[in-house]
Amino acid sequence: MNEIQEERIRQNISAAFYRHGLLCASYPVPIILFTSASILTCCYPLLKLPLPGTGPVEFTTGVRDYSTPSHESQGDLSERPDWYRGPPVAYIQQVLVKAAVSPWDNSLVPVDVFRSPLGRVFSVLEEIRNHVYTDRSLEALCLQVTDLLPGLRRMQAVLPEHGCLLVSPGNYWQNRRDLFDADPDLLKTVHQHEPKGLHTSATLKDLLFGVPGKQTGVNLYSKKRVVTYTITIALSSYDARFVASLRARLKQLHPSANCTLREDHMVHVHFKEEIGIAELIPLVTTYIILFAYIYFSTRKIDMVKSKWGLALAAVVTVLSSLLMSVGLCTLFGLTPTLNGGEIFPYLVVVIGLENVLVLTKSVVSTPVDLEVKLRIAQGLSNESWSIMKNMATELCIILIGYFTFVPAIQEFCLFAVVGLVSDFFLQMFFFTTVLSIDIRRMELADLNRRLPAEAGMPPPKPGPLRPRETPPPPRPSPHTITLQAPAFRNLRLPKRLRVVYFLARTRLAQRIIMVGTVIWIGILVYTDPAGLRTFLAAQVSEQSPLGEAGLPPHLGVAPVFPGGDPTSTLSGLPAPEPTPLPENQSQGHRAAHPEVAPVSSPQITWGPEDEELWRRLSFRHWPSLFSYYNITLAKRYISILPVIPVTLHLSPQEAIDTRHPQDTHHAPPPSIKTSDLQTDLTLYKVAALGLFAGVVLVLLLFCLYRVLCPRNYGQNGVPHGRRRRGDLPCDEYGYSPPISEISPLLLRGHSMDIECLASDGMLLASCCLVGHIRVWDAQTGDCLTVIPNNGLRRSSSSGCWEHRDGWDHISACEAESLLGADFREPGGGAVGGQDVDIFPIRRRTTPARPALFGDQPDLTPLIDTNFGLSPPSQALSSSGFDFGGLVEKAYQEHEPSPTLAFPPSPPPVLPPELPPQNNGDWDSSVWAMELRGNLIATGRSSGKLELWDAVEGSLRCSNEDGVSGITALAFLNNRIVAARLNGSLDFFTVEITKPLGLLQYRGPPGRGSLPPSPCYSSEDVISCQLTRSVQCAHQKPITVLKAAAGRVVTGSQDHTVRVYRLEDSCCLFTLQGHSGGITAIYIDQTMVLASGGQDGTICVWDVLTGSRVSHVYGHRGDVTSLVCTTSCIISSGLDDLICIWDRSTGIKLYSIQQEVGCGASLGVISESLLVTGGQGCVSFWDLNYGDLLQTVYLGQSSEGQSVRQLLVLDNAAIVCDFGSELSLVYVPSVLEKLD
Amino acid sequence: MPRLEEHCWSCSCSASVKTQELSSARWVVCKTAEMMSIITSVLSHAYGSLHSLQSANLIRRGLVLFIVGVVLALVLNLLQIQRNVTLFPEEVLDTLFSSAWWIPLCCGTAAAVVGLLYPCLDQHLGEPHKFKREWASVTRCIAVFVGINHASAKLDFANNVQLSLTLAALSLGLWWTFDRSRSGFGLGLTTAFLATLIAQLLVYNGIYQYTSPDFLYVRSWLPCIFFSGGVTVGNIGRQLAIGSTEKPHND
């Protein structure tokens, strides 16, 4: 019963999902709008949450009615921030001292500017320490500190320990006047604690002086000659009367004239929690893991139109579900207490992207021919059960977590539950809809792609790669091999390259640098606003002429500043009020100079900017001061009391009295210019550092560039260095591999399409439709021998006309031909060869085209034998002269002519077989050809086997034992195997009777470890004996015959493969396994046998035991070609796919989708280099990674000509049968480039 | 301050540890050596036929695992140390790198051994691990592992029993979510047991101490951490082994 119920639930769920999928796919836009609206609604409560940030927050209260806030929050004061509860960590009372030696005297040395003013700090300190107000002393009120942190030994002498936290410049000299007086170099003492280099946090100088370093005036080149410093007292409890009395006392002792600093506001500064490096590292690690997770998850999204778009949608789904979760929790009154940044990665990981991926995969794997709506619905309903199950499991786990009763875990679980639910919601509505849109787009794209090529859908690609003499023609050729995205997605690129490509594609480095710079600037401005601003302001004021007036950084507006206390701002000019004179300053002396030396005499002014001088300090000033004593200000606040101003005027005499003997040894004050330079030193330092960093960066990038970019561009070794990278099909990342120029060598001479090709490494024999056999040197491409069809009858000038008659005859016969087999043209029996090319033809000479091709342009006027006068655009290069350009031009001129539709070439599918005509053996056509040593074996349609001498072109022997046409030949050692049309298999032995009795061996061995082919000299008598004939080898015609390693393998239409032993012609195995005729067989020296059939299957057999090793369905349609390497099997099929299989496991590694109608020819040059034939071109592939290395175009007139046969020679040359021409392509550079 | 907590997790089989605890832990040394010899024999047996082919692969995997172990040890160590001493990051880093330089190395070695042992054991038992074999799952597993450590370091629990139970449940959940194999469970348990034992011995010999030990000399949640660490590293090791033997891009 339970099962039935479960089944019912399952069905219900899947039905519901089905309907939902239909809904989503039907109304994508309204649903997306609805989802966005709900996301925004749920996120709305987030606006109330404070923005994260670590900057301090301020709150100002009045001093007068101040009372320590209670711990309980009081609802009545709404403007009170949450943190303003309980007592502060400390009350900060600053005594701001401004001191100057006045009037300035030319007899004074620069050190006097600050020596005596600084010296007065000790007396002020003494005053403060000893101040008592109704039995309350500073000792009782101040913040008592204990040890410094253990890591700060070097600061022990400077910062107070075990007592009041009271810092002043006097701390440099342990608050002892005698030490100060004995100090020969005050500046050195002050600066010895400064850290080297740039820093953003508070330095010791800032801490002790309590004002930004720039404003202290403690340097030799100060223009204002006013020394400013503060005495900072940290009070643990606030006693208003004590502070007031201290203020009054100090003011009375050191009155500040015209000082109207406001004293009624107390500022509370709240510090947020700081994140140190130690906390940052784990945080960063979790985020790195998170990103790795997202990367690995979204990488699996496949088979969609826009992978990135869907990945983005998946991430958006998860993130917005988290935001919704937080928003909903806030809405219902739960305030998040956990650190959001810390738990965020865990939440994402818990919620996960799995469902999204499962959905995508399920939808994508539905049948493609369904409607989009149905696909979505079906995909959803397929996965509905597992999605629901996963969801329930996760909810259960989280609920268990909820019952741990640990508050933090409970909160986490709450967020996770809400997040999971909202994630489910978003998956169902948002992601599904996005997916449906994407799939619809993909189908549209598919539709577009399936339109015929004439519709102009393929983007025009520039012309093919040509020999470099040819000027680049702009003619687009639509037949380049283009890769489709899904095929490439399956390819394995090396990790290293992938990373580099990724970086290059996204310009990640630049963006990171840019973002980093912006963030850095932001941090600078944010963390140290005062410092930076003052610095800038100081720069501006110093450079402006107004700065000379001695006005502190008010920028240019200071003189006309109409603010609250104009007297204080404008008070620079009149002398300070003399009313309460400083102790030992004579009135007369002061009065003597008041207006005389205003230019040089320092003036002490008080302005509103002095009220809150601490604002100019780094915001880390207070936290770092307290942190020295292991007191953290994180999440706590301090209260800063209004500053107490103290003005000190010192007489020159006093300054002279306090001089240290060494002070006068200092250099006289340098000129203003150098002082400017000195003040600007920081700026220059920064600039120099930036410059240095820039140079280093440039060098680094340059090195990277040199390392990563191959020797491709930036190299001027090639005279015609215009390599058109755009010509190459780019890979997914927009990068095409480096090109090395490969120019095909065209072997011209045949007048008809080439039918048979054979090679033994040194020689190359080709046979065309009319039965001419040409022998070429495989190394140089020279034509060595021409064996005309009849061998005896050489041509006459009228041959070509007869030839054309032959054509006409054929086309007439075409109609009545009923047999569909693609066999050869038997006609042209009376046709002689061409008149001109009997002798070997060099590539250099243009073959005269027979008049047969009357519809082609006449190229004869283009032949210019005066090579010296050739135009520079077609300059000769070392490899020879090419008429490609001229020919091209002629073709272009010719093409528009409307009279003759240009037949691209004789069609690849040839006139079908005609019933054998009774015009003797010469009239039969060559159906099969093999070349070993010097001997060419040809099998004719009449069933005759002939042996020709390849060099001399003479017939050495022939055998006419068989009647049925020879469809395939194998020539191994001295045996020839011939397969006939009637399914019989004949074994011949070639016997050589050498008059000299010696066999000479010639040349390198053939491919693999074949025994070297014996060389037959012309004196030898060669006979060919039929040793055995297997009459009914197969029930149906034999289609494939291959021989290697002492075995002969035949494949036939009757679905079987047979293996024979070569020596005794004994049939070893009959291999059954295909359900269609055999179309391709591969066997090599290592006894690997693979076969492919019309059913699209590929079988791998063990030749020793006859057992089937593996069996895969590879193609839709026939397998057209099969090649093996030691590790993989490469197959191509009628479905235009090239599949690469793992040889041992039979697993498909990847597949390459080719253009429709591409040739099915394959060849393997080395273990990792694959060559395929296409429409007028051959492509080289890296087998390891599936990269397209290069496409070589075979010629200009390549349209519609597909490469049908591909032969890989020893010297890594490819011979392709390319219409009536042969192409020889050497691939040396590609080989050396491979890893 | 839990300064030195967690300083000795998964320090099994490290040479530097062995040299430091001379007399009293001699039998551990013997045992470790024995284990190592067993491991090497198993490894050599398993890869005997394919030795030349696979040794480079093995070294590569071991190196990756070692690096992962070192990084995880540093980060998690920092997680344990960081509370209350964030004010002087330089100092923290100093102590981290000076006093305990050998800990990451030990952890790296242990990670390499465990991570190599997992796929080897799978192969030996003849039950290859097929459950959730993909990098996304592995990353998720690592994230959960870091999360468990995070929880052990930062959460305030009512008492240690609750903490230990929670972490034990989390570790089991980790195993169930990402592994679900008997061999994984057994090896995780073995790892946890051995590592805790070694931690105990280390603390007993005074090399380390815990601020508030509640389980003999160490913290009671230590075995849970070791268990989940073992499972995580095993997960990585298996994925590496798969990634290196068969190509990941099968259609």
Side-chain angles (χ1 to χ4, degrees), chain A residues 149 151-152 273 276-279 281-282 285-286 289 292-293 296-297 299-300 342 346 349-352 354 393-394 397 404-409 489-492 498 627-628 630-632 1147-1151, chain B residues 71-72 74-75 78-79 82-93 134-137 139-144 146-148 150-151 154-158 162 166 170 176-178 246-251:
Chain A
L149 272 191
L152 296 167
E273 193 166 20
I277 291 177
E279 276 189 328
I281 289 176
T285 315
T286 52
I289 295 175
Y293 170 63
F296 282 123
S297 298
R299 199 177 63 163
K300 288 183 295 187
E342 263 175 39
Y346 301 124
V349 166
V350 162
I351 289 176
E354 262 69 25
T393 323
E394 287 192 343
I397 291 176
T404 50
F405 296 110
V406 180
I409 292 186
R489 208 171 289 140
N490 299 337
L491 303 185
R492 260 180 324 120
R498 221 186 281 163
S627 70
Y628 290 162
N630 205 4
I631 301 171
T632 175
I1147 295 171
K1148 182 149 98 178
L1149 297 178
Y1150 54 90
S1151 59
Chain B
V71 170
L72 274 181
L74 280 175
V75 168
L78 211 56
L79 210 61
Q82 70 175 241
R83 271 299 185 205
N84 301 325
V85 275
T86 55
L87 296 173
F88 283 98
E90 298 90 351
E91 305 303 317
V92 171
L93 291 183
E134 53 200 9
W135 276 111
S137 164
T139 1
R140 218 177 168 190
C141 182
I142 299 172
V144 173
V146 175
I148 289 177
H150 205 124
K154 288 208 166 175
L155 293 190
D156 304 317
F157 283 86
Q162 197 188 21
T166 311
L170 280 175
W176 193 78
T177 321
F178 297 106
E246 75 186 51
K247 308 305 172 204
H249 286 264
N250 299 336
D251 281 6

Side-chain angles (χ1 to χ4, degrees), chain A residues 367-662:
Chain A
V368 190
D369 45 352
L370 281 182
E371 207 185 330
V372 177
K373 258 194 259 183
L374 297 180
R375 282 185 76 185
I376 298 278
Q378 204 169 332
L380 270 185
S381 73
N382 282 347
E383 286 300 326
S384 59
W385 182 245
S386 76
I387 287 179
M388 289 310 280
K389 216 168 61 179
N390 277 341
M391 172 106 178
T393 323
E394 287 192 343
L395 281 181
C396 280
I397 291 176
I398 291 173
L399 277 183
I400 292 172
Y402 193 76
F403 287 106
T404 50
F405 296 110
V406 180
I409 292 186
Q410 276 180 328
E411 194 185 328
F412 180 86
C413 289
L414 198 62
F415 278 126
V417 165
V418 182
L420 263 182
V421 174
S422 44
D423 185 54
F424 179 74
F425 166 76
L426 285 183
Q427 270 166 24
M428 285 300 108
F429 284 92
F430 177 69
F431 188 79
T432 313
T433 319
V434 171
L435 192 63
S436 76
I437 292 174
D438 185 276
I439 295 224
R440 186 165 293 136
R441 277 180 63 206
M442 184 166 79
E443 296 210 333
L444 283 179
D446 272 356
L447 218 62
N448 286 342
R449 209 173 43 227
R450 279 183 202 145
L451 287 179
E454 300 87 62
M457 280 322 288
K461 296 236 170 194
L465 190 77
R466 296 216 166 71
R468 67 174 81 120
E469 296 86 4
T470 323
R475 183 171 52 109
S477 88
H479 291 291
T480 49
I481 292 181
T482 51
L483 288 172
Q484 287 165 3
F488 233 124
R489 208 171 289 140
N490 299 337
L491 303 185
R492 260 180 324 120
L493 284 175
K495 289 265 156 46
R496 170 177 58 94
L497 268 186
R498 221 186 281 163
V499 168
V500 170
Y501 283 171
F502 178 75
L503 289 179
R505 183 166 33 115
T506 56
R507 285 152 190 83
L508 206 61
Q510 293 99 307
R511 287 182 191 173
I512 285 177
I513 290 170
M514 214 167 68
V515 169
T517 318
V518 169
I519 288 176
W520 185 63
I521 291 172
I523 287 176
L524 265 187
V525 170
Y526 185 65
T527 53
D528 201 0
L532 202 68
R533 265 182 234 138
T534 35
F535 179 71
L536 290 177
Q539 293 296 321
V540 172
S541 70
E542 271 174 25
Q543 279 151 20
S544 70
L546 293 167
E548 289 298 315
L551 286 172
H554 250 303
L555 303 188
V557 294
V560 288
F561 186 60
D565 42 5
T567 47
S568 69
T569 17
L570 299 173
S571 65
L573 299 177
E577 293 303 316
T579 21
L581 279 178
E583 297 95 328
N584 46 3
Q585 188 174 5
S586 72
Q587 169 72 33
H589 192 110
R590 268 190 64 80
H593 298 272
E595 261 89 81
V596 178
V599 188
S600 62
S601 206
Q603 305 296 331
I604 294 175
T605 59
W606 293 94
E609 74 279 356
D610 293 324
E611 266 176 30
E612 289 174 335
L613 206 56
W614 54 268
R615 283 188 197 277
R616 303 255 174 92
L617 295 168
S618 155
F619 91 111
R620 289 184 53 94
H621 184 87
W622 303 115
S624 51
L625 175 64
F626 283 95
S627 70
Y628 290 162
Y629 300 97
N630 205 4
I631 301 171
T632 175
L633 291 186
K635 295 184 176 175
R636 298 162 84 182
Y637 75 99
I638 55 171
S639 302
I640 298 174
L641 302 174
V643 72
I644 302 175
V646 168
T647 310
L648 298 174
H649 289 281
L650 294 97
S651 66
Q653 188 55 46
E654 193 183 356
I656 290 167
D657 289 345
T658 52
R659 259 187 209 167
H660 190 270
Q662 285 199 7

Side-chain angles (χ1 to χ4, degrees), chain A residues 699-711:
Chain A
L699 282 179
L700 194 76
L701 286 180
F702 182 70
C703 291
L704 268 177
Y705 167 82
R706 289 310 294 266
V707 169
L708 295 179
C709 293
R711 59 220 175 247

Side-chain angles (χ1 to χ4, degrees), chain A residues 1085-1098:
Chain A
Q1085 285 303 307
T1086 53
M1087 291 275 204
V1088 173
L1089 174 58
S1091 62
Q1094 285 175 332
D1095 52 349
T1097 54
I1098 297 163

Side-chain angles (χ1 to χ4, degrees), chain A residues 940-1211:
Chain A
R940 289 187 175 268
S941 56
S942 60
K944 188 171 172 182
L945 177 75
E946 294 169 337
L947 283 177
W948 298 82
D949 190 302
V951 177
E952 296 179 355
S954 57
L955 179 67
R956 302 304 298 268
C957 90
S958 70
N959 188 305
E960 300 178 46
D961 289 342
V963 192
S964 187
I966 295 176
T967 57
L969 271 180
F971 195 165
L972 205 62
N973 300 342
N974 58 348
R975 284 172 193 275
I976 298 175
V977 185
R980 294 187 189 270
L981 198 57
N982 60 5
S984 62
L985 200 62
D986 287 352
F987 291 79
F988 297 94
T989 311
V990 178
E991 285 168 5
I992 307 153
T993 325
K994 284 189 86 74
L996 299 176
L998 272 176
L999 277 180
Q1000 298 165 339
Y1001 285 91
R1002 178 188 66 99
R1007 236 181 123 65
S1009 55
L1010 279 176
S1013 311
C1015 178
Y1016 310 99
S1017 60
S1018 55
E1019 295 90 43
D1020 298 349
V1021 179
I1022 296 174
S1023 64
C1024 183
Q1025 300 285 329
L1026 177 66
T1027 48
R1028 177 148 185 237
S1029 175
V1030 183
Q1031 271 314 316
C1032 268
H1034 285 279
Q1035 314 294 327
K1036 290 189 176 171
I1038 294 173
T1039 48
V1040 212
L1041 173 73
K1042 296 271 160 143
R1047 297 285 184 277
V1048 177
V1049 186
T1050 58
S1052 153
Q1053 293 276 354
D1054 62 358
H1055 305 188
T1056 58
V1057 177
R1058 287 191 177 216
V1059 182
Y1060 294 88
R1061 195 151 53 205
L1062 193 58
E1063 298 96 63
D1064 53 1
S1065 335
C1066 159
C1067 176
L1068 298 177
F1069 305 108
T1070 302
L1071 308 176
Q1072 289 175 329
H1074 287 281
S1075 52
I1078 310 298
T1079 51
I1081 280 182
Y1082 176 86
I1083 184 168
D1084 64 13
Q1085 285 303 307
T1086 53
M1087 291 275 204
V1088 173
L1089 174 58
S1091 62
Q1094 285 175 332
D1095 52 349
T1097 54
I1098 297 163
C1099 294
V1100 183
W1101 312 86
D1102 185 352
V1103 181
L1104 294 178
T1105 63
S1107 61
R1108 191 164 71 187
V1109 179
S1110 61
H1111 178 235
V1112 289
Y1113 285 93
H1115 296 275
R1116 262 179 268 159
D1118 296 10
V1119 176
T1120 51
S1121 183
L1122 261 182
V1123 188
C1124 293
T1125 68
T1126 51
S1127 61
C1128 54
I1129 304 169
I1130 301 126
S1131 67
S1132 69
L1134 274 188
D1135 53 356
D1136 300 315
L1137 270 179
I1138 293 176
C1139 296
I1140 287 86
W1141 313 80
D1142 189 83
R1143 187 157 127 180
S1144 52
T1145 60
I1147 295 171
K1148 182 149 98 178
L1149 297 178
Y1150 54 90
S1151 59
I1152 301 167
Q1153 175 78 51
Q1154 288 195 298
E1155 286 256 337
V1156 178
C1158 265
S1161 38
L1162 283 179
V1164 170
I1165 295 178
S1166 71
E1167 266 307 296
S1168 54
L1169 192 61
L1170 171 74
V1171 55
T1172 62
Q1175 296 273 8
C1177 60
V1178 285
S1179 304
F1180 297 93
W1181 304 83
D1182 185 344
L1183 264 184
N1184 294 330
Y1185 306 117
D1187 287 337
L1188 176 58
L1189 292 175
Q1190 189 166 8
T1191 300
V1192 176
Y1193 293 88
L1194 299 178
Q1196 291 82 24
S1197 57
S1198 60
E1199 314 250 329
Q1201 295 265 37
S1202 69
V1203 173
R1204 281 175 295 134
Q1205 294 191 40
L1206 234 159
L1207 218 58
V1208 177
L1209 305 183
D1210 288 337
N1211 49 0

